[in-house]
Amino acid sequence: MTEQSKNSELTRENYWKENLKILIILLSIWFLVSYGFGILLVDLLNKIQFFGFPLGFWFAQQGSIYVFLILILAYIRLMANLDKKYKVSH
């Protein structure tokens, strides 16, 4: 194996590891918001009012969707930065 192919393989591995790290973090946030706030902690959060609605209800009905959209935008931005870092072109 040549030096260039070793560097290329190492670059691919590092790119994939960083990609997985981003995915795990964003999916963990999504899980926490949608399942944790919308289902598990709903009774506790419902004691707090948010725009006139109980917070747990708001997360279950709208908040998790907003957070999901924000996570999609964050993923797009983070992956664009990662592609620049590793000089990946489409």
Side-chain angles (χ1 to χ4, degrees):
M1 191 179 273
T2 67
E3 187 68 29
Q4 184 178 3
S5 65
K6 286 180 185 178
N7 286 339
S8 178
E9 183 65 30
L10 184 59
T11 299
R12 276 187 242 136
E13 287 178 20
N14 289 337
Y15 178 87
W16 184 243
K17 285 179 185 178
E18 286 191 48
N19 184 11
L20 286 178
K21 181 180 175 184
I22 291 169
L23 283 173
I24 289 169
I25 291 169
L26 294 178
L27 287 173
S28 297
I29 294 169
W30 180 52
F31 178 80
L32 175 68
V33 170
S34 63
Y35 188 72
F37 293 171
I39 298 172
L40 295 178
L41 300 174
V42 71
D43 293 331
L44 180 64
L45 292 173
N46 277 340
K47 295 176 184 176
I48 302 168
Q49 292 292 311
F50 185 73
F51 292 116
F53 296 99
L55 186 59
F57 173 79
W58 184 84
F59 268 113
Q61 299 303 314
Q62 295 177 351
S64 60
I65 295 170
Y66 291 141
V67 171
F68 185 66
L69 292 173
I70 292 168
L71 291 175
I72 290 171
L73 296 174
Y75 179 74
I76 291 169
R77 186 176 190 128
L78 290 168
M79 288 307 298
N81 291 340
L82 190 63
D83 288 348
K84 285 180 188 176
K85 178 180 177 181
Y86 286 96
K87 298 175 178 74
V88 175
S89 62
H90 301 284

